[in-house]
DNA sequence: CCGGAATGTCAACACTTGTTCACATTCAGG
DNA sequence: CCTGAATGTGAACAAGTGTTGACATTCCGG
């Protein structure tokens, strides 16, 4: 169970022998090198091709065997990062219907996954509004898709299944924004500071509880269609 | 009434003659040049010293007469951007107590000011989670301060004046996040597309109304102090 | 008006960058 | 096994970068 490469191995469907080809391996190496460099303060857009290849232990020209430009590498990172995100929400969904406090469990899993995929989340946070515009729109699209997923999940709740699409979208964007904010706070908090992190979690849960309080009071205009 | 320089002229209190000194002028020129370049897709961190001086119509070495490093220029831009933000909230506050729908007026003023200071807001959005870490923390501090301002404003409302500080902070961060999100959406929307913008405003108002619906249901634990 | 501080200019440096080309190595399949 | 494709390597280029030092200009206060 290699810790990272499985996210890649899913990608190649036509390679019958489970081993990744050499190309795929260094391709992955480039992605990991970029993520590693991103941790150290810089943003992806201010990351040079040579820097990445150097970190990946490869000569600059070899880069072109895999990507035409740095922007393409970024695209790969976007899709990969959101693959892990989707996996997360899938795991939450599979834990059955709301029995305990859903909010607490959701926040907990979110935090756990942010830690497990720290660099991917960092990349997303940094590129969401900075750097290459193509990456920006990709990220926005993926976030919207994530919100849609969340909507189908929420539709299984007692009251919400009667809501119109517009109201649903409003609620999900509100929650997605909250979750994004949580992830960013976790990333900015000092690592291995359990107290600070607990405080963040506490506040996040209070926020979500507060939001949920508005649900019964909302009158979704279903006839407006 | 020079459109931009007034935000700077406030700065110099010891210059008695209303005219800015040559130094202040080119200093301002550098800031404007940076903002101008930022509009064209790049982020501040991936902006070279020479690029800025070139845009400002100045030789690279002259830069050092005003700033020690690009990061310092960024700091100036941060404080300047938030000066306009504070001015905005002040204007909303001075419009008297809540008579009409507060939410509508707030969103409207926000959108107006985003347009009036488009490049400043763009800078903030881009650097909030990218690039130089020193700028990141400055921005976070300023945003927190903005939330505190909002809290004192909200404390004049009937119900909220009984809330404890913790609950107040939760509410303000929720609203600030919403406003930040609005600003970012406005920035990303195609300019001069009134329809798209109206849609954004509509959604934003619905979100804020929704949030406000939770207020009566919330039980602030004041004794928890 | 004049002398010193503030500001701006020019030339040069040592580096890094993206991209190219020709050449070496590795690999997979007939 | 051997051939062609995939992948990696090395040298070289033109251009851009941050920073330095010495020199010119502008400006303001005594």
């Amino acid at each position: 169970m290699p810790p990272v490469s499985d996210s890649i191995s899913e990608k190649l469907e036509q390679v019958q022998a489970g081993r990744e080809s050499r190309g795929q391996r260094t391709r992955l190496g480039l992605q990991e090198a970029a993520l590693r460099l991103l941790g150290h303060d810089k943003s992806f857009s201010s990351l040079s091709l040579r820097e990445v290849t150097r970190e990946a232990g490869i000569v600059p020209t070899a880069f072109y065997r895999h990507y035409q430009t740095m922007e393409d590498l970024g695209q790969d990172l976007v899709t990969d990062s959101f693959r892990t995100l989707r996996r997360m929400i899938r795991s939450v969904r599979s834990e059955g219907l709301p029995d305990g406090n859903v909010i607490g469990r959701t926040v907990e899993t979110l935090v756990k996954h942010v830690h497990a995929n720290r660099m991917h989340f960092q990349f997303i946070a940094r590129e969401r509004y900075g750097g290459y515009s193509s990456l920006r729109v990709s990220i926005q699209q993926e976030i919207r898709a994530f919100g849609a997923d969340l909507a189908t999940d929420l539709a299984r709740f007692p009251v919400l299944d009667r809501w119109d699409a517009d109201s649903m979208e409003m609620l999900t964007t509100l929650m997605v924004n909250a979750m994004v904010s949580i992830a960013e706070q976790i990333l900015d908090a000092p690592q291995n500071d359990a107290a600070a992190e607990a405080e963040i979690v506490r506040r996040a849960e209070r926020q979500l509880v507060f939001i949920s309080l508005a649900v019964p009071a909302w009158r979704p205009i279903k006839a407006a269609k």
Side-chain angles (χ1 to χ4, degrees), chain A:
Chain A
M1 199 226 290
V4 190
S5 59
D6 61 353
S7 80
I8 282 297
S9 61
E10 292 181 3
K11 219 181 263 173
L12 21 134
E13 303 163 340
Q14 43 212 6
V15 174
Q16 47 283 70
R19 240 61 228 95
E20 302 117 351
S21 67
R22 178 169 60 146
Q24 300 287 0
R25 213 162 43 233
T26 73
R27 203 178 158 95
L28 176 60
L30 286 172
Q31 299 180 217
E32 287 176 340
L35 285 179
R36 227 174 299 136
L37 290 173
L38 244 64
H40 241 339
D41 212 16
K42 328 186 69 176
S43 62
F44 183 79
S45 35
S46 65
L47 206 63
S48 80
L49 185 150
R50 287 181 113 106
E51 234 172 326
V52 176
T53 57
R54 205 179 306 137
E55 173 79 16
I58 257 178
V59 89
T61 56
F63 180 92
Y64 297 102
R65 304 290 184 190
H66 304 272
Y67 297 105
Q68 211 137 3
T69 157
M70 281 289 285
E71 214 161 336
D72 295 345
L73 210 198
Q75 285 289 353
D76 253 30
L77 286 178
V78 171
T79 68
D80 248 48
S81 300
F82 276 93
R83 194 202 315 280
T84 74
L85 232 192
R86 246 179 265 123
R87 197 179 320 185
M88 178 193 80
I89 204 184
R90 215 182 301 143
S91 82
V92 179
R93 169 174 10 204
S94 67
E95 283 181 19
L97 275 183
D99 46 332
N101 64 335
V102 217
I103 291 181
R105 284 213 329 263
T106 304
V107 172
E108 190 190 356
T109 28
L110 174 61
V111 170
K112 204 169 61 183
H113 279 258
V114 168
H115 276 135
N117 307 72
R118 176 166 253 272
M119 294 193 287
H120 276 191
F121 278 91
Q122 210 156 99
F123 168 73
I124 294 295
R126 295 258 164 96
E127 296 308 304
R128 186 172 170 215
Y129 287 111
Y132 304 101
S133 64
S134 68
L135 297 191
R136 276 206 303 268
V137 320
S138 296
I139 292 179
Q140 302 295 3
Q141 283 177 353
E142 295 273 14
I143 286 186
R144 257 199 294 277
F146 181 77
D149 269 22
L150 181 60
T152 75
D153 268 19
L154 290 181
R156 302 188 305 171
F157 278 68
V159 198
L160 298 174
D161 54 356
R162 304 208 128 78
W163 281 28
D164 59 311
D166 256 29
S167 297
M168 265 320 237
E169 187 195 315
M170 179 210 61
L171 180 59
T172 55
T173 56
L174 215 48
M175 303 191 75
V176 168
N177 276 350
M179 292 172 73
V180 168
S181 167
I182 295 171
E184 287 164 342
Q185 284 175 274
I186 294 285
L187 288 177
D188 268 5
Q191 286 180 268
N192 302 332
D193 183 345
E197 187 164 308
E199 176 64 14
I200 294 178
V201 169
R202 198 183 65 85
R203 289 195 221 187
E205 290 181 352
R206 275 163 63 94
Q207 267 190 36
L208 289 177
V209 167
F210 183 82
I211 291 181
S212 70
L213 285 181
V215 169
W218 182 256
R219 304 213 118 270
I221 343 102
K222 191 129 195 171
K225 179 66 183 301

